Amino acid sequence: MKRILVAFFILGFSNLAIAQTEGQMLPIIVSGNDTFITCTLQEVVIVSRRVFKDQQEQFRFNQLKRNVIAVYPYAKEAGALFRDINQQLTAMDRKKERKLYVKEKEKELDQLYTNSLKNLTVTQGDILVKLIARETGQNVYDLIKEFKNPVSAFYWNKMSGFFGYSLKQDFDPQQHRDIEMIIRAIEGSF
């Protein structure tokens, strides 16, 4: 068995030597009389397996995970749209031109997302508000106030209050660490 491992080891290094002679120099470190071949690896995050107190806590976490996975694409899209719209608005000089652009974007977004967002549960809506705040750096109330008007922001915040959450929520990674952990796992898999 040892002979087979040594043979594979030697064959592996002979291929590296051939690669060096073909003009592909591998990065090396020379330390005294020793030469070491080096390479850069991708970052790996190691997380221990989560231990739950009981089955109910595990069920709640799995439910949260399903809900985050359901709304995460919408939050990513909202963040990208926010950056794109801000970039377009900074290039515009006149206030009237900006207002028309925002109205046009609002109509596009209504056509694209109204039906799918209406099918979200209350819990998914709450998580979406948090994720949009995470992606944009501003809470949803401030975004509506900035792009629409303060009256609309007030109205939609009151409407969300009937369902038990607020559009003024900011995302705090410490307070929402389960959501942050799930998002990092999602982003790490892509």
Side-chain angles (χ1 to χ4, degrees):
M1 184 66 174
K2 289 181 183 179
R3 288 181 185 170
I4 294 173
L5 288 174
V6 171
F8 279 120
F9 186 73
I10 291 171
L11 288 174
F13 275 110
S14 66
N15 287 339
L16 290 175
I18 293 169
Q20 286 182 349
T21 59
E22 293 176 2
Q24 298 176 355
M25 294 297 293
L26 294 173
I28 58 171
I29 295 176
V30 178
S31 176
N33 292 333
D34 294 327
T35 304
F36 301 100
I37 299 172
T38 63
C39 67
T40 305
L41 300 175
Q42 291 181 342
E43 180 182 348
V44 176
V45 177
I46 299 173
V47 179
S48 64
R49 185 167 173 86
R50 183 157 179 177
V51 179
F52 298 98
K53 285 190 299 188
D54 54 15
Q55 215 170 10
Q56 188 177 17
E57 184 182 344
Q58 184 175 6
F59 177 76
R60 274 189 260 126
F61 180 80
N62 290 340
Q63 227 175 4
L64 176 66
K65 186 176 178 181
R66 276 192 302 276
N67 288 331
V68 169
I69 289 170
V71 298
Y72 180 71
Y74 296 119
K76 286 300 275 185
E77 184 69 24
L81 284 169
F82 173 73
R83 288 184 286 281
D84 181 51
I85 289 172
N86 270 342
Q87 187 179 24
Q88 295 294 328
L89 290 178
T90 55
M92 296 178 188
D93 295 330
R94 296 187 339 218
K95 188 175 181 178
K96 187 174 184 178
E97 189 179 0
R98 290 180 193 170
K99 205 170 190 176
L100 287 173
Y101 179 75
V102 169
K103 277 194 178 240
E104 180 184 311
K105 278 296 186 183
E106 183 182 355
K107 284 181 184 177
E108 287 178 28
L109 293 174
D110 278 347
Q111 290 175 350
L112 287 173
Y113 297 109
T114 299
N115 291 333
S116 57
L117 290 178
K118 280 184 178 180
N119 294 329
L120 295 180
T121 65
V122 173
T123 305
Q124 288 172 341
D126 184 30
I127 293 170
L128 180 60
V129 167
K130 292 173 187 169
L131 294 182
I132 289 174
R134 179 184 184 271
E135 287 295 319
T136 62
Q138 292 183 22
N139 60 46
V140 175
Y141 179 85
D142 290 339
L143 291 173
I144 295 172
K145 187 175 169 182
E146 179 183 340
F147 290 112
K148 196 90 163 117
N149 60 51
V151 175
S152 291
F154 177 78
Y155 171 77
W156 287 111
N157 190 46
K158 286 298 179 189
M159 288 298 290
S160 68
F162 289 124
F163 295 107
Y165 60 94
S166 172
L167 298 181
K168 293 183 179 181
Q169 295 180 74
D170 289 321
F171 186 81
D172 180 18
Q174 293 299 319
Q175 184 181 4
H176 305 107
R177 64 180 169 269
D178 285 343
I179 294 174
E180 183 68 23
M181 184 175 68
I182 293 166
I183 291 170
R184 287 181 184 235
I186 292 169
E187 290 174 345
S189 66
F190 290 119

